[in-house]
Amino acid sequence: MEDRPADPPKSRTRWIASEEASGLALISPTLLYALALLFLPVLIVIAYSFWTQDYLTIDRTFTLQNYRTALGEPIYQDLLLRSLVISLVVSVVTVTVSYPIAWFISFHGGVHKNLWLFLITVPCWTSYLLRVMSWKVILGYGGVMNTGLLSIGLIDKPLTTLLYNSNAVVITLVHSWAAFAILPIYVSLEKVDRSLIEAAHDLGDNKLMSFLRVTLPLSLPGVISAFLIVMIPTVGDYVTPKLVGGKDGVMIATAIQAQFGKGANWPLGAALSVTTMVVVSAIAGLVVLMLKLLVRLTK
Amino acid sequence: MSGRHGIPKSRWLPAYVGLYLLFLYFPILLLPIFSFNNASTTTFPLAGFTAKWYASLWGNSAMLEAARNSLIVGISVAILSTVLGICAARALTRYRFRGKKPATGLIMAPLFLPEIIVAVSLLMVLLQLGLELSLVTVILGQVIFCLPYAMSVLISGFDGFDRSLEEASLDLGETAIGTFRRVTLPVVAPAIISSLLVSFTVSLDEFILAFFLSGTEPTLPVYIWGQLRFAAKLPGVLALGSLMLLISILLLTLSEFIRRRAEHRLRAQGAQHA
């Protein structure tokens, strides 16, 4: 049955029995669910972003006013910019600290590769809220870090600069996303042909050069997906900035949430959401493009 | 020093791996440590061992209610996303059809969307439709979020499936449904169980969608969020969190164990055929 080509069918009955029809029929419940509860809602958010709200009534005349506010008001500009900077820093740091781990598992994991991967992923599957909480416990004024530093005499009074700023947000987010970055890098490292590295060594490259000229370029696809997997969700993170961010760590999700809560302005909230999505996609696209160019240059 | 294939093996790498694991596990292990601490502050040195924070959970009706809600949501989400995941994963691994890529992209999209945007867009639609926020709306939303996880487990489980077994069964006169039940299902069952466990774990921990869509019926994470405002409630939260941690790790270990045993079996089968 599977050998039958998926060419345009000649008659309707034959199409119904075809592979194409079976595949579509089988996927349709899931697809319809995703269309109804993901695609459609996002379309509605986009529509709302061009409308205005007066107390509880929605005015459906087309306007760009929400975008003028979202992009023009200093407060939203600041929040968006800070969210982007934080998530870019988090992505770069996460990918950088995770790469050696992925490399270690792939090249030295031996028969225990799966066990290593499991060990690395377990913390990332455990309660997100509590992981953030626990960073609060570590970095707080009377926290583990301060009491530790005090007891070994490195400082003589607790540091107040650990918690409630963007550094705390970055540390917490790096911790949350580490495993998600390791996995794609690991997958692409597994695909690297080991004999190419051997060849580089035989031809006189030292460890570093063979890594830079062979291993790293070949694993770039994994690096790109790791980067995106971390960057895209962190831009809109709500919990971490709220719990450990303090005043300097507020990010765009807090502003979006505020517009959907009391004193609501749905259209403005929608415009902020759409702006975030567009900017994130644009940056993601740019990053992919840049890294692809880099790959071409190193070839 | 040189390992196999001339791949450099450095001395600092194992040390780095150790440090990294410490960074990953330290915050997680801190919770259970403080949950047994006989003081309501989270500072070292520990004040002494106590199980009173755990005991206090039993009398806490709001917490028990939230736990019940989480259980209802988790089980429903696990079943729904696994059933929908099976349909899609089977279609993707078994058939060729047009629109495969965009369809996959749409189903996996929540991995690549800020979760808050999924949450607010769902919230807008549900309120527009005049639906009351409840556990049902949480379930509907979390399924969207869990589908990519269920799908990746299921696709990898279905991928190794030998199609000729099904064909043989059909040739021998078994019906399509009978073939699925007696041939396909036993082979893919481990993937299905893994998907159920993973979806349940994800749902148990999911906060943003539950926060936006749960109305007056909090799940455990939403309940915890409410408690975090009160410093005095912290030890109880730590105890609850440690229990949830234990459950998550148990479920994940179980899921990994099942997945791996199935992988071994498939490999053994493949060796037999060869």
Side-chain angles (χ1 to χ4, degrees):
Chain A
M1 206 219 269
E2 75 278 10
D3 293 322
R4 192 180 297 159
D7 285 330
K10 294 208 176 69
S11 74
R12 188 179 245 212
T13 42
R14 205 184 291 169
W15 189 80
I16 286 172
S18 74
E19 183 170 330
E20 170 135 21
S22 316
L24 281 174
L26 199 53
I27 205 173
S28 58
T30 319
L31 199 57
L32 288 177
Y33 193 93
L35 282 172
L37 285 147
L38 185 69
F39 190 66
L40 191 75
V42 169
L43 282 188
I44 290 177
V45 167
I46 295 172
Y48 255 91
S49 70
F50 295 110
W51 297 341
T52 42
Q53 181 173 358
D54 187 20
Y55 293 108
L56 288 172
T57 46
I58 296 291
D59 178 3
R60 291 194 167 77
T61 33
F62 179 89
T63 171
L64 287 173
Q65 187 52 47
N66 300 311
Y67 285 98
R68 253 172 251 140
T69 311
L71 293 166
E73 290 272 335
I75 169 132
Y76 297 124
Q77 283 179 351
D78 282 357
L79 282 180
L80 197 62
L81 192 69
R82 185 187 299 152
S83 308
L84 285 174
V85 169
I86 288 180
S87 82
L88 284 174
V89 171
V90 168
S91 320
V92 170
V93 173
T94 310
V95 170
T96 314
V97 298
S98 302
Y99 195 100
I101 306 292
W103 191 86
F104 173 81
I105 298 174
S106 177
F107 282 74
H108 299 297
V111 286
H112 298 301
K113 280 179 183 174
N114 273 329
L115 192 66
W116 274 110
L117 286 177
F118 183 65
L119 207 65
I120 299 278
T121 26
V122 163
C124 294
W125 286 96
T126 55
S127 177
Y128 172 47
L129 213 57
L130 288 160
R131 260 180 289 145
V132 183
M133 252 307 294
S134 133
W135 280 104
K136 210 169 152 170
V137 169
I138 295 173
L139 300 173
Y141 186 79
V144 175
M145 187 77 106
N146 268 332
T147 44
L149 290 175
L150 277 172
S151 68
I152 56 170
L154 222 63
I155 51 174
D156 46 17
K157 64 172 194 269
L159 301 171
T160 50
T161 49
L162 294 172
L163 194 62
Y164 300 128
N165 53 38
S166 48
N167 289 335
V169 174
V170 170
I171 294 174
T172 309
L173 285 174
V174 168
H175 182 255
S176 294
W177 290 94
F180 291 93
I182 288 175
L183 290 177
I185 300 175
Y186 167 79
V187 170
S188 68
L189 281 171
E190 281 288 278
K191 288 184 192 148
V192 173
D193 187 348
R194 303 301 197 255
S195 59
L196 291 176
I197 302 169
E198 223 170 317
H201 282 295
D202 291 345
L203 293 170
D205 260 357
N206 61 23
K207 289 174 195 173
L208 185 66
M209 285 312 286
S210 78
F211 173 75
L212 289 178
R213 298 210 297 200
V214 180
T215 316
L216 187 60
L218 286 175
S219 64
L220 270 185
V223 172
I224 294 176
S225 25
F227 192 91
L228 297 180
I229 280 181
V230 178
M231 193 203 91
I232 295 171
T234 48
V235 173
D237 190 77
Y238 177 78
V239 176
T240 303
K242 201 86 174 170
L243 284 183
V244 302
K247 219 176 69 202
D248 304 327
V250 182
M251 285 163 72
I252 194 77
T254 310
I256 294 177
Q257 196 272 332
Q259 299 306 327
F260 285 93
K262 284 177 202 140
N265 186 347
W266 284 17
L268 180 57
L272 287 171
S273 305
V274 175
T275 310
T276 310
M277 271 194 292
V278 170
V279 173
V280 167
S281 318
I283 290 187
L286 214 67
V287 167
V288 173
L289 220 74
M290 257 167 50
L291 286 176
K292 280 203 170 145
L293 215 74
L294 208 77
V295 175
R296 203 164 296 167
L297 285 178
T298 51
K299 262 180 190 166
Chain B
M1 250 211 287
S2 236
R4 278 171 304 141
H5 306 299
I7 290 155
K9 191 177 179 112
S10 73
R11 245 168 290 157
W12 57 264
L13 196 60
Y16 179 76
V17 174
L19 253 156
Y20 192 88
L21 284 176
L22 188 71
F23 168 70
L24 277 189
Y25 278 89
F26 182 63
I28 307 232
L29 294 177
L30 216 54
L31 297 174
I33 291 175
F34 281 125
S35 73
F36 286 112
N37 188 23
N38 195 5
S40 53
T41 51
T42 48
T43 46
F44 287 116
L46 299 170
F49 180 88
T50 178
K52 67 177 172 192
W53 309 120
Y54 287 90
S56 73
L57 289 179
W58 280 120
N60 185 339
S61 60
M63 194 282 296
L64 292 175
E65 183 71 12
R68 200 188 59 112
N69 290 342
S70 265
L71 206 63
I72 294 171
V73 170
I75 291 171
S76 319
V77 168
I79 293 172
L80 249 174
S81 36
T82 301
V83 168
L84 289 173
I86 290 172
C87 294
R90 175 104 171 123
L92 292 174
T93 51
R94 173 75 170 79
Y95 300 100
R96 277 171 300 162
F97 53 93
R98 265 170 294 174
K100 204 167 176 169
K101 271 209 166 148
T104 319
L106 180 65
I107 296 167
M108 300 304 264
L111 277 186
F112 292 95
L113 263 179
E115 205 187 337
I116 186 137
I117 288 167
V118 179
V120 295
S121 62
L122 262 169
L123 179 72
M124 282 172 75
V125 172
L126 293 169
L127 292 182
Q128 277 291 289
L129 290 173
L131 289 171
E132 200 78 35
L133 294 180
S134 67
L135 292 183
V136 176
T137 50
V138 178
I139 293 167
L140 289 175
Q142 286 197 349
V143 168
I144 276 292
F145 184 67
C146 285
L147 259 175
Y149 295 98
M151 285 275 286
S152 42
V153 174
L154 290 166
I155 285 180
S156 71
F158 287 12
D159 240 357
F161 186 72
D162 187 354
R163 239 193 255 177
S164 56
L165 293 175
E166 279 179 342
E167 274 154 31
S169 159
L170 289 169
D171 286 347
L172 292 170
E174 187 59 274
T175 60
I177 295 170
T179 299
F180 183 77
R181 200 171 59 82
R182 296 177 56 182
V183 179
T184 318
L185 201 59
V187 179
V188 298
I192 293 174
I193 296 170
S194 282
S195 161
L196 284 169
L197 293 172
V198 165
S199 311
F200 182 83
T201 314
V202 172
S203 162
L204 189 69
D205 182 35
E206 202 286 329
F207 170 68
I208 298 283
L209 287 163
F211 180 58
F212 278 81
L213 304 175
S214 64
T216 55
E217 301 169 282
T219 60
L220 277 176
V222 178
Y223 170 80
I224 290 175
W225 177 261
Q227 300 294 296
L228 289 179
R229 273 176 298 164
F230 313 106
K233 300 271 176 84
L234 191 60
V237 168
L238 292 177
L240 175 58
S242 307
L243 287 178
M244 288 172 72
L245 199 79
L246 197 68
I247 295 170
S248 300
I249 291 178
L250 283 178
L251 289 176
L252 282 174
T253 311
L254 192 65
S255 135
E256 176 71 9
F257 178 73
I258 291 168
R259 198 187 59 80
R260 239 202 275 173
R261 246 188 42 180
E263 215 175 66
H264 279 300
R265 215 179 51 192
L266 269 180
R267 217 176 288 151
Q269 254 175 16
Q272 245 170 28
H273 284 299

